[in-house]
Amino acid sequence: MLRHLLLGFTIFTALHCQAQVERLLYVAQDQGFVYVYDINNGHKFLRKFEVPGTGEFKGISADPIRGKLYLSSYVGDQFVCVDLKTEKVDWSIPIIGYPDSQAITPDGKYIYLPKRHGGGWDVIDADQHKIVAYIKVPFGNPHNTWASLDGTKMYLAAMGNENLYVADVKTNKIIKTVGPFEANQEDPWSWTQKKHNGPKGIRPFAVSKDDKYCYINLDGVLGYEVGDISTGKRLGRVEVGDFESIRGNHLTTSHGVNITPDQKEIWVSNDAGPYVHIFDCTVWPHKRIADIKLNKKNGWISFSIDGKYGYPSSGDVIDTKTRKIVAELIESEKLVEVQFENGKAVRASAR
């Protein structure tokens, strides 16, 4: 009898603790609002809150340790910190040179913010609320950023530059170059840009958890290229066949690539299709295993922390097992999941 009571108490406690995990999706909208969705309840819309004086967001990240949400805002050229509990602006700092898509170290201490017209990345100290370092790239317009899982490295990419750079977080120096990768110079738009503004180059990219491989979107390429981070060499291209290569919202064909949290699949955007194409990355060459038709044009791909949901920027919510669209959000490339336990933020995803 006692054994049964203890077993029942254990099951009840486990279910109770599980129920305490609140999973919220924060989705930034260009008119200066952040929409909040309940992942546990079919991605039900809960509320929205305004971030005054901001808009045209280029990046989003969250720090569960400090309980903060960060937004890079093209309106006002600023980097903004929002308190997750009050959903009010905590602090902001001006960014000269077009703030773009940032990444944050796992401990939440530093934010690496690319400046598209500034030639490099500002390093922001989250506790001091100020810029404490600057990382210059050889050329191009700094655009996207990725943090290594162990927090020791930052990956930096610039438009107009076909190389991926690796920076050491301790020294804030570039320690490795991966590439060059090969944008499609046969694409008429790429040729135009090459003639007037130099080569096109890298758009979104993703890095494996073990820091061995990078997956790169390039201008004019419907698909992605693969790089070996340890050797710095380009390994090859994975193209989406059987589909017409058409420029989408970002004036390129694929402006979205990501690796599933279990590291088994690469999801790549067909912006104008609009499709998400899925490749098995456990084999080489990567094998295309699914094509998911979206309801609207795409341009970015994110995942829930547990990998159960894929979030293309079209606003479609995709069940990663069934490949079915199961919910709909507002259209946005800027979204992040934050998990709460007993009202306290404990985990956050990365874009």
Side-chain angles (χ1 to χ4, degrees):
M1 180 67 178
L2 179 61
R3 180 184 175 188
H4 289 147
L5 287 173
L6 289 172
L7 179 60
F9 177 76
T10 301
I11 294 173
F12 171 80
T13 302
L15 291 173
H16 179 71
C17 291
Q18 185 178 8
Q20 291 299 310
V21 179
E22 184 181 26
R23 302 168 63 203
L24 300 183
L25 193 67
Y26 292 82
V27 185
Q29 181 244 19
D30 277 351
Q31 276 64 50
F33 289 88
V34 175
Y35 288 64
V36 185
Y37 295 87
D38 184 352
I39 298 175
N40 288 336
N41 191 18
H43 291 85
K44 179 183 177 181
F45 170 69
L46 297 177
R47 61 186 178 275
K48 69 177 181 178
F49 60 87
E50 185 177 7
V51 187
T54 68
E56 293 187 54
F57 299 116
K58 302 301 176 182
I60 187 170
S61 52
D63 172 19
I65 297 171
R66 292 162 183 78
K68 307 299 181 184
L69 181 75
Y70 297 113
L71 297 159
S72 56
S73 171
Y74 187 41
V75 172
D77 278 349
Q78 57 186 310
F79 185 75
V80 183
C81 172
V82 174
D83 186 89
L84 284 168
K85 185 173 290 187
T86 66
E87 296 180 346
K88 303 293 184 183
V89 174
D90 190 8
W91 55 267
S92 67
I93 57 174
I95 303 295
I96 307 303
Y98 194 148
D100 215 310
S101 182
Q102 78 270 9
I104 186 171
T105 52
D107 63 4
K109 175 65 173 172
Y110 296 107
I111 300 110
Y112 285 69
L113 178 66
K115 300 189 295 185
R116 193 182 296 190
H117 299 156
W121 274 252
D122 280 339
V123 182
I124 300 170
D125 186 309
D127 295 322
Q128 298 185 58
H129 311 166
K130 70 178 185 178
I131 297 166
V132 294
Y134 172 75
I135 302 173
K136 182 174 176 57
V137 292
F139 63 93
N141 300 319
H143 188 39
N144 288 313
T145 322
W146 184 285
S148 67
L149 193 63
D150 62 7
T152 63
K153 297 177 288 295
M154 280 286 170
Y155 296 90
L156 318 172
M159 293 191 296
N161 188 327
E162 294 174 332
N163 298 288
L164 181 68
Y165 298 99
V166 187
D168 182 279
V169 168
K170 285 186 178 179
T171 64
N172 287 317
K173 302 292 184 184
I174 292 174
I175 56 172
K176 184 181 284 290
T177 300
V178 187
F181 297 93
E182 299 179 1
N184 186 2
Q185 304 303 344
E186 296 179 0
D187 178 78
W189 180 258
S190 293
W191 271 115
T192 301
Q193 292 299 307
K194 184 176 177 62
K195 179 179 179 181
H196 296 290
N197 299 323
K200 290 280 278 183
I202 296 176
R203 293 301 191 104
F205 66 92
V207 178
S208 60
K209 287 181 179 179
D210 58 11
D211 294 303
K212 288 185 177 180
Y213 301 106
C214 55
Y215 308 98
I216 309 289
N217 278 152
L218 290 122
D219 283 296
V221 176
L222 181 55
Y224 57 95
E225 294 205 341
V226 183
D228 184 316
I229 294 172
S230 61
T231 66
K233 301 296 184 182
R234 170 186 178 271
L235 295 179
R237 177 175 294 181
V238 179
E239 292 190 276
V240 179
D242 310 321
F243 283 83
E244 187 179 1
S245 181
I246 304 173
R247 287 187 279 119
N249 294 337
H250 296 85
L251 302 176
T252 188
T253 50
S254 289
H255 189 275
V257 65
N258 214 335
I259 184 170
T260 52
D262 64 8
Q263 307 291 282
K264 293 181 178 180
E265 296 175 354
I266 303 294
W267 288 36
V268 64
S269 171
N270 180 340
D271 286 16
Y275 281 89
V276 165
H277 304 290
I278 302 176
F279 288 82
D280 179 351
C281 64
T282 65
V283 296
W284 185 259
H286 294 176
K287 180 182 178 182
R288 196 168 101 211
I289 55 177
D291 305 298
I292 301 174
K293 176 74 171 178
L294 304 176
N295 290 315
K296 297 176 183 176
K297 288 185 178 181
N298 192 33
W300 197 273
I301 299 168
S302 305
F303 292 103
S304 60
I305 292 173
D306 60 10
K308 290 183 178 180
Y309 300 106
Y311 302 115
S313 61
S314 61
D316 299 300
V317 178
I318 299 172
D319 184 305
T320 57
K321 277 192 175 181
T322 66
R323 318 292 197 203
K324 302 295 184 183
I325 295 172
V326 295
E328 187 174 351
L329 316 170
I330 61 165
E331 292 180 70
S332 178
E333 297 179 354
K334 290 81 192 179
L335 56 85
V336 65
E337 177 186 349
V338 182
Q339 295 185 358
F340 297 82
E341 292 182 6
N342 299 316
K344 179 179 173 57
V346 292
R347 281 174 292 277
S349 66
R351 283 181 70 207

